[in-house]
Amino acid sequence: MKLIQNIAIRFLLVPLLLVVSCDNDLAEINENPNGIEPSMADPNLLMSTVMTGLATSTTSRGYANDTGNAAQYTQRDSWSSNRYDWETGSIWSANYGLLRTNKVAYDRAVELGLPFHEGVTLILKSMLFGNLTDYYGDIPYSDALKGTEAEGELPVYDSQEAVYKGIIADLETASSLLGADSYEGVVEDQDLYYGGDASKWQKLANSLALRYYMRLSEKLPSFAETGVTSTLSKPLISDIDDELVLDYIGGTSDQSWPNSGQFGSASDFHRVKPCTTMTDKLKELEDPRIDIWFAPVEVPTKVVPPAEVPGGGAVAEVDGIRYITDEVLIDGDILGNLYAIYSPDTYAAELEAGKKLIDTSSIYVGLPAAVSSIDPYEYNYNADGSRGGTNAYVSLMNEVFNQKDDGGNLLKARLFSYAELSFLKAEAAVRGWGSDAEGNYLEGIRASLEVWGVGDTYSDYITNTRVAFDGTLAQIMEQKWIANMFNGDEAYLDWRRTGLPDLSAGPFAREDVMPLRFIYPDDEININTTNYNAAAASLEGTPYSTTDPNDSPYARPWIVQGVSTPW
């Protein structure tokens, strides 16, 4: 495991610098000082840049942006409505930029006869293209990185099915390339993920293949079953030390957790709040990870009889506790008509009836999904609401995510965890494609508790009747969702694949259901129009996509066409 360094900046400078000889040759001096021939590029430096970009963008999405909100880990209370009115997302340009860099690294690896680098770049390519096809559907794939070989030609879109199968094929090739005992040309410090350990890269390649075979479990069950059963016999991530993670070490904004207030506005941190979907579930399960992820509400609220309100008024705040008389809420006066006590079962109806919510949770208070679209600053009777995220009556994220230090070894970009691998194996067993569903389920829980520093609670936690294994896919997916906290990509894509856990868009979302994809960016529509039109035409309309053109967030891409999930 390696620490994040300022690799992105270093890469932008180092590989692009032109080495000029001491001879004052005019031709050399007049060469572009900011360019370099691809034939001179160091694949080690190129790969480290791709690793950093992939890791940080994944965490940014999964913490407080698109997929973190969709997975209902977090919600924003200002500057964002959380309505799931998805547009282009942030993946397209970022991933294709990294893919171009990765292609140069791959070509250099082949040219120099470096199978380690060839295998690693195939894995990185698979992850980047995987993000793209996951979220858009059909994408430029075979033609996407041809560069001058296809000068003047616009890339054709490959079908989503072809992309997934191409990804799996590349991962299997990478696994075979990474099976040797030793390799030349490896600069361990530039391998930010595994420090040059080919055996861990091989385990990752096989584990990613398992992820993508399972991604196809609903759409192509026979193909998925064959791939899963074959892959389970290969070397896979087998403990926490094999996880694909990258540390946020702090010190600069580029090396710090997303939305940290240490290098910008403090409100960047304050605007991110826990989502009640997660806080309610963690409280229901008495899950110890709640203390690690979320901060106790600054001022808890108690609803009491009038005689117990200090000072005899309707509302009073004394010694860090806010008291509200129950008569204000239920006896029909003006506040009673406007407010209701939050309950997971009734809050949507109360909001739709025009009432605002008061949450009497004593420790952790979250924001319900999409509530910010109608109550962004005043949730839980907050009279001092503002766009700065100041709300003493709703929990913040744990202060560790404000990253004033190294985060106590908790702050990592978590791209593929041992817990995820364990839950994939448990799911395979429940489907009849593997074995030991319960053992793998429990191992996934143990691994997640351990990486978040609460491993000593494992024995008590698994005896909880709501956690003890009941043999259902729903329970496996629920615990996998919890364990994937801050990897919103996998949590959201698991939901889209299985409909589990049962996530609701909330009463004030754009539609009654959550979206299925991002729409293509404007450049594709305006420049690569013919190929874009063919890709958009491959999408299947739904009752929720009728207000959009073919390219709608609520249209079904191939992977969810003809299946019953998620809606």
Side-chain angles (χ1 to χ4, degrees), residues 3-317:
L3 302 180
I4 288 183
Q5 304 294 333
N6 204 1
I7 295 298
I9 294 175
R10 176 145 49 101
F11 166 68
L12 289 173
L13 296 177
V14 175
L16 300 181
L17 291 178
L18 176 68
V19 179
V20 180
S21 72
C22 294
D23 297 330
N24 291 326
D25 185 280
L26 185 61
E28 291 183 1
I29 293 174
N30 284 338
E31 290 184 36
N32 179 3
N34 297 315
I36 189 170
E37 290 294 324
S39 60
M40 296 176 61
D42 181 348
N44 291 286
L45 284 172
L46 298 171
M47 291 190 315
S48 63
T49 302
V50 178
M51 292 177 199
T52 302
L54 175 60
T56 55
S57 65
T58 300
T59 304
S60 179
R61 284 193 304 277
Y63 173 61
N65 291 307
D66 304 312
T67 58
N69 294 160
Q72 298 181 13
Y73 294 148
T74 59
Q75 298 279 287
R76 288 175 180 265
D77 71 349
S78 53
W79 300 107
S80 177
S81 69
N82 305 303
R83 293 181 67 244
Y84 306 114
D85 189 9
W86 280 8
E87 296 183 355
T88 61
S90 59
I91 300 176
W92 189 276
S93 60
N95 277 30
Y96 276 116
L98 292 171
L99 280 162
R100 286 189 289 271
T101 300
N102 191 68
K103 176 65 160 56
V104 177
Y106 172 81
D107 290 343
R108 287 288 287 150
V110 173
E111 178 185 348
L112 297 172
L114 300 174
F116 173 86
H117 302 75
E118 186 180 346
V120 169
T121 53
L122 284 174
I123 293 172
L124 296 172
K125 171 190 172 186
S126 298
M127 295 182 74
L128 291 163
F129 272 125
N131 282 160
L132 288 162
T133 198
D134 282 338
Y135 284 108
Y136 295 94
D138 295 0
I139 57 169
Y141 179 65
S142 302
D143 289 347
L145 306 175
K146 288 185 176 179
T148 56
E149 297 175 14
E151 189 172 357
E153 298 180 10
L154 295 171
V156 174
Y157 285 51
D158 290 76
S159 71
Q160 191 175 39
E161 178 179 6
V163 178
Y164 279 128
K165 290 182 176 179
I167 287 168
I168 290 170
D170 277 347
L171 290 169
E172 292 174 347
T173 299
S175 178
S176 65
L177 288 166
L178 293 162
D181 294 328
S182 62
Y183 294 89
E184 294 182 358
V186 178
V187 180
E188 294 180 2
D189 288 345
Q190 295 298 324
D191 179 358
L192 303 180
Y193 290 166
Y194 290 127
D197 189 332
S199 66
K200 291 187 176 182
W201 278 107
Q202 184 186 51
K203 290 180 180 180
L204 175 64
N206 295 329
S207 299
L208 284 166
L210 183 64
R211 174 194 279 179
Y212 283 108
Y213 276 123
M214 198 65 81
R215 188 86 89 232
L216 299 169
S217 61
E218 307 302 316
K219 180 66 177 181
L220 298 176
S222 296
F223 175 81
E225 179 181 3
T226 299
V228 167
T229 54
S230 172
T231 305
L232 286 173
S233 66
K234 299 177 181 179
L236 299 168
I237 289 173
S238 56
D239 55 41
I240 290 169
D241 288 340
D242 292 340
E243 292 186 337
L244 182 57
V245 297
L246 197 57
D247 293 350
Y248 286 93
I249 60 173
T252 70
S253 59
D254 291 336
Q255 298 173 166
S256 297
W257 189 261
N259 295 87
S260 167
Q262 301 307 304
F263 302 98
S265 169
S267 64
D268 287 346
F269 173 71
H270 294 147
R271 285 197 294 261
V272 182
K273 301 294 198 296
C275 182
T276 55
T277 310
M278 178 58 80
T279 56
D280 288 346
K281 179 56 63 176
L282 296 178
K283 286 186 282 189
E284 175 193 331
L285 301 180
E286 300 177 359
D287 194 304
R289 288 167 287 193
I290 196 170
D291 299 328
I292 306 300
W293 295 333
F294 308 128
V297 67
E298 183 180 343
V299 179
T301 298
K302 291 186 176 181
V303 177
V304 296
E308 296 181 22
V309 178
V315 180
E317 192 169 313

Side-chain angles (χ1 to χ4, degrees), residues 22 134 238 284 294 307 310 381 395 412 458 480 519 526 538:
C22 294
D134 282 338
S238 56
E284 175 193 331
F294 308 128
Y381 196 28
S395 291
K412 305 176 189 291
Y458 169 75
K480 188 182 181 188
I519 63 175
N526 296 329
S538 74

Side-chain angles (χ1 to χ4, degrees), residues 281-527:
K281 179 56 63 176
L282 296 178
K283 286 186 282 189
E284 175 193 331
L285 301 180
E286 300 177 359
D287 194 304
R289 288 167 287 193
I290 196 170
D291 299 328
I292 306 300
W293 295 333
F294 308 128
V297 67
E298 183 180 343
V299 179
T301 298
K302 291 186 176 181
V303 177
V304 296
E308 296 181 22
V309 178
V315 180
E317 192 169 313
V318 178
D319 296 330
I321 298 175
R322 180 176 60 174
Y323 298 88
I324 301 178
T325 173
D326 53 8
E327 290 187 354
V328 170
L329 295 173
I330 65 176
D331 279 3
D333 62 9
I334 187 168
L335 287 181
N337 291 328
L338 291 177
Y339 288 83
I341 295 177
Y342 167 79
S343 166
D345 297 327
T346 62
Y347 89 90
E350 300 284 13
L351 288 174
E352 290 173 328
K355 295 187 178 183
K356 294 188 178 183
L357 300 178
I358 293 178
D359 193 323
T360 58
S361 301
S362 60
I363 301 177
Y364 298 102
V365 178
L367 286 176
V371 73
S372 290
S373 64
I374 54 116
D375 192 8
Y377 325 120
E378 299 176 1
Y379 183 77
N380 202 11
Y381 196 28
N382 176 33
D384 299 321
S386 73
R387 285 189 182 274
T390 53
N391 189 337
Y393 312 106
V394 175
S395 291
L396 294 173
M397 303 302 291
N398 191 309
E399 184 66 20
V400 70
F401 298 108
N402 208 10
Q403 190 143 17
K404 296 178 179 178
D405 50 36
D406 66 2
N409 202 37
L410 294 177
L411 300 184
K412 305 176 189 291
R414 302 178 186 276
L415 284 79
F416 202 125
S417 67
Y418 175 47
E420 180 188 342
L421 187 281
S422 299
F423 289 122
L424 283 169
K425 292 169 70 175
E427 179 183 353
V430 165
R431 292 179 180 274
W433 302 349
S435 61
D436 195 10
E438 181 174 8
N440 285 299
Y441 165 82
L442 293 175
E443 185 68 356
I445 292 174
R446 185 200 63 77
S448 180
L449 294 173
E450 186 172 331
V451 299
W452 287 107
V454 289
D456 59 348
T457 67
Y458 169 75
S459 296
D460 288 338
Y461 183 65
I462 63 169
T463 61
N464 184 320
T465 56
R466 294 177 294 271
V467 176
F469 188 57
D470 64 10
T472 64
L473 180 61
Q475 189 184 46
I476 292 170
M477 301 309 295
E478 179 177 273
Q479 283 294 330
K480 188 182 181 188
W481 168 65
I482 296 171
N484 266 330
M485 184 71 171
F486 308 132
N487 187 345
D489 285 350
E490 285 310 303
Y492 166 76
L493 293 166
D494 275 341
W495 166 82
R496 189 182 69 179
R497 174 173 66 92
T498 66
L500 299 169
D502 183 14
L503 301 178
S504 167
F508 295 96
R510 176 192 150 173
E511 305 288 348
D512 291 337
V513 296
M514 294 206 300
L516 300 173
R517 58 182 296 278
F518 293 143
I519 63 175
Y520 295 111
D522 288 343
D523 283 350
E524 289 296 300
I525 299 171
N526 296 329
I527 298 173

